[in-house]
Structures are given as structure tokens and as C-alpha cells.
Amino acid sequence: MYLFIFPCVGKTELLQQIEDSGKVFRNELTDPIAPAAVDSIAAGVAKGVYFSQEKPISVSAQDAVYTKALEKMPVASFLSALDGRLAGLVVHRSSGQPGNEGVSVTLRGRVPIIVIDGIVRNLTVMDLEGIESVTVLKDAIAVAMLGVRGANGAVLVTTRKGHEGHQEITFNAQTSLQQPLSSLLSDPLRAYDYGVLYNEAQYNDDRFLLNPRNIAYTPEALDAYRTGADPSAFPDVNWRDELLRKRSRFDRYTFTASGGNEWARYFVSAEHFNQQGLFKTHDWNQYDTDTDYKSYSVRSNVDLRITSRLEGGISLLGRLLRTNNPGNNLTANIFSGILTTPNNAYPVFNPDGSFGGNRQYPNNLLAQSIHSGYSVNTKRDIMTDFYLKRNLDDVLPGLWIKARASFTSHVSENIVRNKSFAVFQRSVAPSGAESYTQFGTIGTQANSNNVDAQNRMDYQEFSVGYKRTFSRKHGLSLLALANRDNIVSGSNLPLTYKGISGHFAYDYDEKYLLEVGFGYNGSNWFPEKGDTRYAFLPSIGAGWVLSKERFARNLKGVDELKLRASYGLTGWDAAAYFAYVTRYGLGPNVNFGTAAGSLNTIREMAIGNPSIGYEKAAKLNIGIDTRLFSNQLSVSLDYYQDRHSGILMEKGLNTTILGQAYPLENIGKYDFSGGEAVVSWQKSFANSLSFFLTSNIAMQDSRVRYIAEVYQPHPWMERTGQRPGQLFGYTAEGLFLTDAEAMESPVMEGYSAQAGDIRYKDLNGDQVINQLDQSPIGLQRPAIHYGLTAGIEFHGIDFSFLVQGAGNRQLLLSGNSFYEFQNAGTGQAYTHHLDRWTPEHPEASYPRLSLGHNINNHVASTYWLKSGSYLRLRHAELGYSLPAAVSRSVKLESIRFFLSATNILTFKSKELGNADPELFSGQYPLQQLITLGAKIKL
């Protein structure tokens, strides 16, 4: 819960202030606010619903994005819609799989907490049109009331409320064609090239052996692969083409209704989301084997004025998410198989129609996809919020009290209908007779279901607030809050947060601003005795609106100039499950004598730490905000320094003699610092022309101040002073050109180098390459993330686009999607391996080829670091709204048609080849979408 401040003004002044604050044209073109809605907005302002700490009177560091921007994006998680829109917020994806994208965000280098309508919730898949705004809270004063849950910042989601006035009904329909972006750096080798390079790699590995192996691919076999004369015996299968569609469908339908009067206001929405996967299916199945994703959600927010001084409300959310997979959740296995299965491993089908395979490859990829059954994961969520608020103006003008309660339930259930299959290896005798060898068994369908997650949360809150303006100069606002948040996950003991928090704000003539906040809370996962269960975390902020000073009033073109700063102590609850208690668990079985049977032993698990406490972060933020040229241009600049201490970790100096895990301790210290800038320009003309442009850029740096690491014999091996998660590896100095050069140079310990291998720098000069020569690799400059949103509207035609990118970013290329012949020599190889080192091609970009893992070449080093910086046209949309006379002639308020494209164009380093810079290691790829839609208002 946060304190929301807005000066006491009349309706006309309020409307002007709304427009001045950037609500109308901030980030996206929006419909003008109707005068009839001003009463509702004024009521919302009084409750802190519509506006959260607007720039003119707040000292906190925050930024927001609104409904118009969010609803454009064809995504399931609202986090995916935030890419490039908010300074300091970075979106990460681990997959492009529908319903399982693994979307997460970092804010100023840390993972923020998600707060929905004032309550911390683990909910990201939402109806985007049901969101009023998403605000990032960055500094200490903004998150002060979160206490021990605020050190990493917060993403605050405010859902839409009803308004006084005529009923508004909208229907939004979108349908898209989607096609995958490439998640591979280059294409798999055709069977002939694979055989040629395999023979070469085998020769490289065997050339110094006394008894080299027989050649893997004879000239006759290579010629058969080249000609394709016998695809059954000499297959050449492009597994991606065999398993994956070129394109698939995406559909979203959303219905909303809102309205109300002086006594009741409502907002209702319903949404259906349907996204097809990439796997091909087969007509012989009566069930779906694709990675489809469907969701259904219904939201209702109702606010009631019960009496002239008592109001209340209820918010309901029901959600059903359904994710389909082939077999027993085999999607990840299939994509892994695509990476590791050569084109010539086996035919998809044998001549008799059976699935191809052999002893080495017993899991036919297509059979896994379409002939192993299916599995369905269903998630069901119910969320209910209630509140009552009593105006106590009869006791003291400006005083109010509020009680609030919430209950959330989540269930995740799996239904599995899987079956086994067999593959067959075809053999042809000299006589021409065919025979088939079976691997695996053909089984009947096995049915099972289980609940893999069952969580619930109940929340209670009581708050008291006071807000008055005295003598038209002195603005005062106070808030005190007590709450309890109880979370039960599966069979775990509850995690219960309790505490109080408060906020005080004062402004003199909206010129001098002061805010003070604190949180005093904690959870039952920390020791009950002692002083670590609860933490007191205060923050303070101050601002000076220079533009209101007499000496600045004549500054031409300056509408506002404000300086602000905040500093405070925040906390982060990162403790493991009751980590202060030493726990015991079952150990190995012990047999006694010769009798059958055994007894379980009990063993001591990780040692408890009774002094364990919360992580803390001292946050400093300094900012400047300005609005110029009749509020057409606005600029916000921020510098921050977050010093995190008490980070939980095990000491690196521990010994293993104890024989068990050491306790977590609050010993780590990390620093995060950086700068952010947001520039917006917006203008409207009398001839129905308006445009906007908003750009943001953030530079973020981080350093390890202390981690109690083990003694390092050389300074370049130390993790202290580096970035958290810093990559360490060898410094490459090109390739050995001759065997003699390799023998005379320092080489990898336990390895005999030869021509074509990577040469590494011997940092300690001992003529051996080993872990003592590993140092930080990669760029040491601050990471840069930026975004640009722009749009224009003229006589019903509108166009907008979003550009997003990252700089000072490097990727380490490795693994099955990049190295050759992995998995003990049975793995895939790619077209970039054609540019490998040979005596005839010494200037190659890739070292000599090997079979399986090469301990010299296939290790982390600067040789495999490539630029990951990119600039992406994330979204563009062209729309047309029919003239009002046309819409009204068919009894509609407005009709808008639009055509949009997502993930359209990417500028990146040529070193990445075909690969997408976000997902480049062969996983389920991101999608490029072309969307056609219509939005109708009744």
C-alpha cells in the first residue's frame, strides 16, 4: 500500500492538471478525457486509484505506462508488454513456448516484486485491457512501505475501475499469423557435409594414435548421401522442417464494460486467449499434440457509495490457463533432440511405414511429437478483494479509515495420456531381403493425473489516513497501515508477513516537498527470538520546485523545473525455508546381518543459522524533472546508487571436512549504480493532428563489494570487485598454425595441443594453461538498455511504433547449438563449422574439428565471445477510426481497425548469423506476428 498525493483543486483545475501531468498523451495516443468523467476521476484521485505520486508533487523515482500502450501487444504476460517502455526495467525471456515463456524482469539490476492493486501477488498473466497502469517504483521513498520486501524495487499494477457517466462497452478482436524467429546461429549440416566433416574430425583426433579408428563414412556412403539415391539407408532429414510448422495462429478476444453513477461504479472484462504452437500434428490422432496455449479470464471491479461517508468495493478475478504438450511434457526433450540429432541419424519413416531409429537413436523425434500421446496442464486462479472505507470528516476534516481483505487460490493440475512407441532399423541382405530390428516397445495408453501446485494467500489490512491543505499553502498527508499477508504453498508451513508502515508528506505551496516513510515488518521464516524477525527500515525524500520561485517565473518556456532526492534503508526477504533451524532428514538405508530388509537412517541437513536476517539496501536517488514549452517537452534524469548488504550466501572459506552444508549467512555486499533519462515530446494541432515521442535510456553497473571468497593466488582470479555473476574464462590469442608452434607454447593441462587448436594467454607465466589463467572476460562497461515509442494521429488515421535495444552486451556461444559433434561424437554439426581451420585454410573463424567435448577448444574463453548488442523494431501499428457520423449511423460510438506487426526487424552483429539475439541457443524460438484487429465501442 502506498501514499497517493494530489492537491485539492476544482474540477476545471483537475482536468488541466491531468492533461499537464501527461495522462492524456503520455507514451501513447489516447482518447480525451470526457468532462463527464471528471467527477469520477476526482473521486478516484481522493482514493489514490487513478494517479500514484504524480511528478509535479512527488519526490520519488518512478515511471508508468498505461492501457493504450499495453493493449497493443499480442502477449499473455503483461511483463512482455513492458519491453523498452520504462527506464531501468529490462525484460528477459528464457523461451518462446506459448504459456511457458519464462518471462521475468529486472529493475536497476535486481528482480523486483510485483504488487497488484496494493497487494504483493505472483501473477503476471492478465487481461491487458483490464490494466489501468503499470508503474515501476525505484527508489527508497517509493518502496518504503514495503519494508523487508522492497529493496529490489517494485512493479505496481493498478487495474481499471468504473467511472461515473454513461456506460462504455468495448469489444476488441485480434487475430495473428505468427512465425518463429531463428534460435540457431546457423543451419544444421546436410548429411553429405556432415559425413565429410565427421571424417575430418576423426582424423584430427586420431592422427597421433598408433591404431587409428576405421573411417566412419566411406566414399561410397558419402556419395550416397550426396545423391540421395537411397534415403532410407542414407537419410538426410532436416528435423526442424519435419517437426515444426512455418507459421501458426494467435487469437485474442476481449470484452469490457464500465460505467456507474454517484452510488455505484463498475468495470467488467472477459478475455479469451488462444495461441497455437509450432509442432506439426497428424490426422490419425483424436487429440492435440501441439504446444497450444489457451486462457480464459473474467474480472469485475465494483465500487459502492453505501452512505454519504461510507464506501466499499469488491474485486473478483477468475482465470483458467491451459497448456498442451506432446507426450508426457516432451516439448523440451524434442527441442533438445533437434539440436543433437544429425540429419543422417535415421529416416523419419522406413519403407514399410514404421518409425525409423536404431540403438544409438531409439527416440524418433517425430514419433515423440505425434505418437507419444499428450499432456495438459491446467491452472485455475481465483482472486477476491474487499474493502470498506469510512470518511471521518465529521470527527476531523480530512481523516479516514479503511479496512481491506483479500483471498487468492491457485491450483495447477496435470493430466497425462502418454504411450510408448518402438522404432525400427532396416537392414538389407546381399540377396535383397529386408529385415527390421526393433528398439523400444509399443505400449498402450497410460493415464494419470496429479496436482503439482496448490497455493493460497489471504491478506488483511487496516489503514488510517489524513489529508488536508491549510491556508491554501500547506499540504499535509499522513498514512499509517497495519497488514498481514499469509501464503501457503503446497505442504510447506505458511509464510506469514506482519507489520506496520507509514508515510508522511508535506508540501509548502507545492514548492518545497518533504516525504518520510518507513516499514516495520517481518516474516515467520526468521527466528522468533532475537532481533532479526522484524526490521525497521526508514526513508526520506525532499524536493524543490524551482520553477515556482520568483526568480524562475520569467524563465521563457519553462513550465516546471524540479530537483528531488531520496535516501533510505530498504529490505529484502531472501531467507530459505526456516533456515534458522537445523533440520533432519532421511539418510541412506542400512542393512543388518543377512536378513532381508533395512532400516532408514536420519541425517543432519544444513546447519541452521539462528542469527539469520534480512538483506538490506541503502538507496540513494537524485533526480531532476522539467517540463518545457507549454508542457510539450518533458525531461527526467536520475542517478542512483544502491548498496546491498547482508546478502545470504555460504562462506567460500568453508571446509568440506564437516560433511554437510554450511549455513547461509548475511555476509554478501553488492553495489548497483547507474543513470536513467526519459525524454517525451507531445503536441496537438487544431487541424486534428497530434503526435508524441517518448524515449528512455538506462545505464546500469554493478560490483561485488564482499563475498568472503576463498583465497585466490592471483588478483585476476578474484571475484570481489567484479560484477555479480561475472563470467570467467581464458584469454584467447588466436589458433596454433603448426604442430611445432603448439608444442613450444604453453598448453592446456592434461591436453596435447596441435595445429588448429586455440592458443591461450599464460597469465601467471608457468608454461601451463589451467584454472590459474582464468580471468574476467567480456565487456566491463555498464550495460545499456533503451527504448523509443512514437506515434502520430491525423483525421482518424494513427500510426505508432516501439523500438527497443541493448548495448554493451556480449554473448558466450557454447553448447550443443554451437559446438560440433557433441554427446561423445553423436551430436549435430552446423554450417558455421564449414569455416573451420585446416592446413589449407589457416585464417578460419572456427578451430579444428573434434569429436565430442574438446577440453581445450570447448571451454569458456574470449574466442567464443560475440557482440549481443541489438536494436529491434519491437512493434508497429497502423490504425483507422471510422468517422463518428459513420459509427453512430450503426448505433456504435466508435469503430477502429488496425494492422500491427511484432518483432519485425532486428539489427544485430553479423557474428550471430541467423540467431535471434535474445534466444540464440536452440530453445523454443520467439515469434514474429502480423496482427489484424478491430476495436468497437458501444
Side-chain angles (χ1 to χ4, degrees), residues 92-389:
H92 309 271
R93 298 174 180 84
S94 60
S95 172
Q97 182 178 346
N100 191 25
E101 296 177 347
V103 181
S104 62
V105 295
T106 55
L107 179 61
R108 292 184 170 181
R110 303 286 281 181
V111 179
I113 203 163
I114 295 175
V115 181
I116 300 177
D117 287 336
I119 301 175
V120 176
R121 313 182 205 251
N122 186 23
L123 185 69
T124 62
V125 176
M126 299 178 64
D127 167 16
L128 299 184
E129 290 195 49
I131 296 176
E132 173 69 25
S133 64
V134 178
T135 305
V136 286
L137 308 177
K138 306 175 186 179
D139 67 339
I141 197 66
V143 298
M145 297 182 71
L146 281 172
V148 298
R149 305 170 85 176
N152 293 353
V155 176
L156 174 63
V157 179
T158 302
T159 60
R160 292 174 64 182
K161 307 293 182 181
H163 64 275
E164 294 182 32
H166 72 281
Q167 178 175 262
E168 291 184 358
I169 298 175
T170 65
F171 178 70
N172 194 337
Q174 302 178 30
T175 184
S176 307
L177 281 179
Q178 55 184 9
Q179 61 184 23
L181 299 174
S182 176
S183 61
L184 287 175
L185 288 119
S186 52
D187 297 326
L189 286 176
R190 298 292 300 270
Y192 171 78
D193 289 328
Y194 182 92
V196 171
L197 266 58
Y198 195 100
N199 285 346
E200 182 181 311
Q202 180 181 322
Y203 170 77
N204 291 338
D205 291 346
D206 291 0
R207 57 192 292 248
F208 294 128
L209 296 179
L210 295 176
N211 297 305
R213 292 167 289 187
N214 293 327
I215 189 171
Y217 294 94
T218 64
E220 293 77 15
L222 292 176
D223 188 62
Y225 285 124
R226 183 180 58 82
T227 61
D230 187 355
S232 176
F234 299 93
D236 187 4
V237 181
N238 187 317
W239 291 107
R240 284 190 164 247
D241 288 349
E242 290 292 333
L243 271 68
L244 306 182
R245 300 173 180 173
K246 298 295 184 185
R247 57 190 58 86
S248 58
R249 281 279 301 276
F250 164 90
D251 301 290
R252 183 170 73 185
Y253 306 98
T254 307
F255 167 86
T256 67
S258 63
N261 53 35
E262 181 181 358
W263 299 101
R265 300 177 303 278
Y266 63 90
F267 173 83
V268 178
S269 69
E271 181 183 73
H272 171 51
F273 190 101
N274 182 18
Q275 185 176 11
Q276 290 182 340
L278 291 178
F279 289 149
K280 293 180 179 179
T281 57
H282 201 283
D283 294 340
W284 67 44
N285 289 322
Q286 300 296 316
Y287 46 82
D288 184 14
T289 59
D290 194 8
T291 53
D292 292 340
Y293 171 69
K294 293 180 174 65
S295 72
Y296 306 85
S297 64
V298 178
R299 174 180 292 278
S300 172
N301 292 343
V302 178
D303 297 282
L304 303 172
R305 187 179 295 278
I306 302 170
T307 69
S308 60
R309 298 191 181 278
L310 179 64
E311 61 182 273
I314 178 172
S315 296
L316 303 174
L317 172 67
R319 189 180 70 162
L320 179 67
L321 311 179
R322 182 184 183 276
T323 306
N324 199 78
N325 277 282
N328 188 2
N329 200 23
L330 289 177
T331 300
N333 292 27
I334 294 171
F335 269 90
S336 176
I338 292 174
L339 284 180
T340 58
T341 306
N343 288 21
N344 65 354
Y346 52 87
V348 179
F349 293 104
N350 292 310
D352 66 349
S354 61
F355 287 112
N358 50 55
R359 187 181 303 278
Q360 188 168 310
Y361 301 99
N363 293 312
N364 184 293
L365 291 177
L366 185 62
Q368 289 186 64
S369 178
I370 66 173
H371 204 62
S372 61
Y374 70 99
S375 56
V376 176
N377 174 259
T378 303
K379 292 181 172 64
R380 295 183 291 273
D381 297 275
I382 296 176
M383 188 172 71
T384 59
D385 293 352
F386 308 88
Y387 80 89
L388 284 173
K389 184 178 180 181

Side-chain angles (χ1 to χ4, degrees), residues 19 60 73 185 335 382 605 801 856 895 904:
E19 293 175 347
S60 64
M73 303 299 293
L185 288 119
F335 269 90
I382 296 176
M605 300 172 71
F801 66 88
N856 183 85
I895 304 174
I904 313 162

Side-chain angles (χ1 to χ4, degrees), residues 27-44:
N27 289 332
E28 299 288 343
L29 293 167
T30 63
D31 298 329
I33 298 178
V38 175
D39 289 333
S40 175
I41 294 174

Side-chain angles (χ1 to χ4, degrees), residues 116-119 121 313-316 383-389 402-408 457-463 482-485:
I116 300 177
D117 287 336
I119 301 175
R121 313 182 205 251
I314 178 172
S315 296
L316 303 174
M383 188 172 71
T384 59
D385 293 352
F386 308 88
Y387 80 89
L388 284 173
K389 184 178 180 181
K402 183 178 180 180
R404 187 178 186 190
S406 176
F407 177 79
T408 302
M457 184 271 286
D458 59 274
Y459 177 85
Q460 301 85 39
E461 172 187 296
F462 180 78
S463 56
N483 61 3
R484 173 184 177 272
D485 192 358

Side-chain angles (χ1 to χ4, degrees), residues 404-451:
R404 187 178 186 190
S406 176
F407 177 79
T408 302
S409 175
H410 168 79
V411 175
S412 175
E413 182 180 12
N414 294 309
I415 297 176
V416 180
R417 308 278 190 256
N418 67 306
K419 57 184 180 182
S420 61
F421 58 87
V423 299
F424 297 85
Q425 183 176 12
R426 173 176 173 260
S427 301
V428 181
S431 62
E434 293 184 355
S435 62
Y436 289 88
T437 304
Q438 179 176 334
F439 298 93
T441 58
I442 301 175
T444 57
Q445 179 175 294
N447 303 314
S448 66
N449 72 295
N450 68 289
V451 174

